[in-house]
Amino acid sequence: MPAIVLVGAQWGDEGKGKATDLLGSRVDAVVKFNGGNNAGHTVVIGGEKYALHLLPSGILTPGCVPVIGNGVVVDLRVLFEEIDDLQARGIDTSMLVVSANAHIITPYARTLDKVTERFLGSRRLGTTGRGVGPTYADKMSRVGIRVQDLFDEAGLRAKVSGALATKNQILVKVYNRNAVSPDAIVDELLGYAERLWPMVADTAGLLGAMLDDGKTVVLEAGQATMLDVDHGTYPFVTSSNPTAGGACTGSGIPPTRIDRVIAIVKAYTTRVGEGPFPTEVTGDKGDVLREAGAEFGTTTGRPRRCGWFDVPIARYAGRINGVTDFVLTKLDVLTGLPEVPVCVAYEIDGVRQDDLPMTQAEFARAEPVYTSYPGWDEDISRVRSLDQLPRNARDYVAALESMIGARISAVGVGAERDETIAIHNLVPD
Ligand code: GDP
Ligand code: IMO
Ligand code: MG
């Protein structure tokens, strides 16, 4: 023990990568438990920038075991590209383990993701086009290809042929694309098998044994609460469960072993792709946050939609995940604003609601009710304790903490590892 879950509280890109890295040397394993290379985590260490997609952020911590859990969907080409990139930069990747039960993103899943989006036109979701949705759909339809299948050639051939029997009909007859050859897919996948084999493990068993030995394990989410396929803004969501419950199913660590749930929440809000976003600020005002916060996607480079902090969403994330600690990130980005609006409730059809409504139709009509807090001009990037913060910044943090239902245990004031105000220990003793 202990097992610590780390999730995003909003629509992603809250700074989960930096927060995981911050837990640092006290962590023995970091497990990615959901999603695939739709995620993008930027971690800055000593001016060096690392953009991770598929690998857990723990890969940057010497001595930490990075684990790709059973809940992840793996694009093998991306996996090896990422490993090669890190190795070329002197990062040791030899401890990486990959679950035998993780599903593989096939080339046809990538194709189907892109053609489906194009087909949907104005009804598209704005996916990252990485094949994540179709791969999870195959998993649930029980026609998925798993990591372990690469080591059983006859079984792999049967599974790929079986899956393509229907998919080729769809590709050709609905989307007017060429059929995919099962042999070509099998050959490509088998080409990765030899290099992959030494990394493959029963990761649930391994993690259980580590916890029995008193090791510290962090379960790191990709995406975030509002992108959860069950608890988010469906259908404008990803196809996995990035919430605390998903950490259990996606890793094989049971709920009774989780000691702490840390949610990362940005001092304002961003969203990439389509879907409702009550506090979105469009036009020039949105540009101010986007430029100050460098809000451009790590994965697709798309400009992120920007808006103000939304208290009902943070409180909802607190409840759905059972959050024990929040990490508030990017407070420095708000420096220089004369005042900082915060959405404290919604007005829906003329009625004030303090919490998220039951239906997405209501959420799409929610108008934010704002309270404005006075801003600050001082550079806070060198501040390392709450009492050094300008009074207005401190009041902003205190106001958010009083409304979101759990303590704020750290505050980010810059992208670098040490640009953080530590308040409470994030790793229990
Ligand atoms: P993730 O997907 O949740 O890991 O977040 P991303 O890495 O996609 O986006 C967060 C961005 O903000 C990254 O570029 C981080 O380097 C950066 N970042 C994280 N924390 C802070 C902070 O406190 N201040 C500033 N200015 N940047 C931060
Ligand atoms: P990290 O881990 C922000 C969004 C996409 C799209 C929707 C579905 O960096 O926080 P998908 O490709 O998953 O089927 O796309 O989810 N999305 C993200 N937005 N951060 C992410 O990851 C995201 N991963 C997916 O933009 O709206
Ligand atoms: Mg990201």
Side-chain angles (χ1 to χ4, degrees):
M1 295 279 208
I4 302 166
V5 175
L6 193 145
V7 295
Q10 296 151 320
W11 278 287
D13 305 324
E14 296 90 351
K16 297 177 289 294
K18 178 189 157 182
T20 304
D21 178 63
L22 200 64
L23 302 177
S25 55
R26 298 186 56 195
V27 174
D28 300 295
V30 173
V31 189
K32 179 178 169 83
F33 65 80
N34 77 299
N37 55 310
N38 49 348
H41 309 301
T42 302
V43 182
V44 188
I45 305 170
E48 279 277 307
K49 211 170 172 177
Y50 300 91
L52 302 169
H53 297 285
L54 192 49
L55 296 173
S57 309
I59 197 124
L60 301 174
T61 305
C64 173
V65 181
V67 180
I68 294 186
N70 58 277
V72 174
V73 290
V74 182
D75 186 324
L76 292 166
R77 191 184 54 187
V78 173
L79 176 71
F80 290 123
E81 273 172 15
E82 225 166 89
I83 291 173
D84 289 343
D85 277 359
L86 288 181
Q87 281 178 351
R89 295 174 73 178
I91 305 287
D92 177 15
T93 59
S94 62
M95 289 168 86
L96 176 70
V97 283
V98 180
S99 168
N101 288 354
H103 281 247
I104 289 175
I105 300 182
T106 58
Y108 50 85
R110 280 197 301 271
T111 306
L112 278 166
D113 194 358
K114 289 186 188 125
V115 293
T116 313
E117 282 282 277
R118 222 171 293 148
F119 190 77
L120 284 170
S122 63
R123 290 178 295 121
R124 71 184 178 277
L125 304 179
T127 74
T128 59
R130 301 301 193 260
V132 168
T135 305
Y136 279 114
D138 281 2
K139 171 177 175 174
M140 292 309 179
S141 305
R142 294 158 294 183
V143 292
I145 308 298
R146 300 201 289 178
V147 163
Q148 58 186 276
D149 296 328
L150 259 57
F151 312 104
D152 165 21
E153 187 174 339
L156 178 66
R157 260 182 220 287
K159 284 179 183 169
V160 170
S161 301
L164 280 174
T166 46
K167 280 184 210 308
N168 272 336
Q169 300 280 335
I170 296 168
L171 280 170
V172 173
K173 293 182 180 160
V174 179
Y175 295 119
N176 203 19
R177 306 279 297 203
N178 292 329
V180 176
S181 143
D183 285 343
I185 299 289
V186 169
D187 288 350
E188 179 176 335
L189 295 181
L190 287 178
Y192 298 115
E194 196 182 327
R195 191 170 175 198
L196 188 63
W197 175 247
M199 303 173 195
V200 179
D202 165 10
T203 50
L206 177 89
L207 292 166
M210 287 184 84
L211 290 173
D212 288 345
D213 281 351
K215 307 268 197 228
T216 299
V217 174
V218 172
L219 300 149
E220 181 201 47
Q223 294 79 51
T225 306
M226 299 305 285
L227 288 171
D228 185 285
V229 69
D230 285 279
H231 302 291
T233 47
Y234 190 90
F236 299 101
V237 291
T238 192
S239 300
S240 68
N241 289 115
T243 42
C248 294
T249 51
S251 68
I253 294 180
T256 46
R257 302 204 83 163
I258 308 271
D259 301 84
R260 205 167 265 210
V261 180
I262 301 170
I264 317 304
V265 69
K266 221 183 290 207
Y268 50 99
T269 312
T270 62
R271 165 157 219 179
V272 191
E274 309 301 318
F277 181 177
T279 64
E280 181 170 16
V281 183
T282 50
D284 295 352
K285 280 198 174 149
D287 291 345
V288 173
L289 282 174
R290 189 172 307 107
E291 297 301 329
E295 296 294 355
F296 296 89
T298 311
T299 300
T300 57
R302 287 180 286 180
R304 295 174 180 152
R305 298 159 67 191
C306 296
W308 303 118
F309 192 91
D310 187 321
V311 170
I313 284 181
R315 211 164 36 221
Y316 176 75
R319 179 159 60 76
I320 291 290
N321 294 293
V323 172
T324 57
D325 303 74
F326 278 101
V327 172
L328 182 72
T329 59
K330 304 190 93 162
L331 185 66
D332 54 301
V333 172
L334 300 178
T335 300
L337 293 171
E339 55 176 26
V340 189
V342 171
C343 167
V344 295
Y346 305 126
E347 202 175 284
I348 304 173
D349 303 329
V351 179
R352 183 184 161 116
Q353 294 213 15
D354 291 327
D355 293 305
L356 262 64
M358 185 175 74
T359 68
Q360 285 302 302
E362 293 166 288
F363 189 59
R365 294 199 300 275
E367 294 287 341
V369 176
Y370 286 115
T371 298
S372 273
Y373 292 86
W376 58 93
D377 287 320
E378 300 88 335
D379 177 2
I380 60 170
S381 61
R382 275 179 282 280
V383 169
R384 296 293 175 267
S385 71
L386 274 184
D387 56 10
Q388 291 169 354
L389 276 178
R391 171 154 209 117
N392 288 350
R394 203 163 63 228
D395 288 350
Y396 182 75
V397 175
L400 297 190
E401 185 172 49
S402 73
M403 292 187 281
I404 61 180
R407 65 186 187 178
I408 292 177
S409 293
V411 178
V413 291
E416 277 280 356
R417 193 184 255 177
D418 68 338
E419 287 175 326
T420 305
I421 299 172
I423 305 169
H424 303 288
N425 273 347
L426 287 169
V427 181
D429 292 320

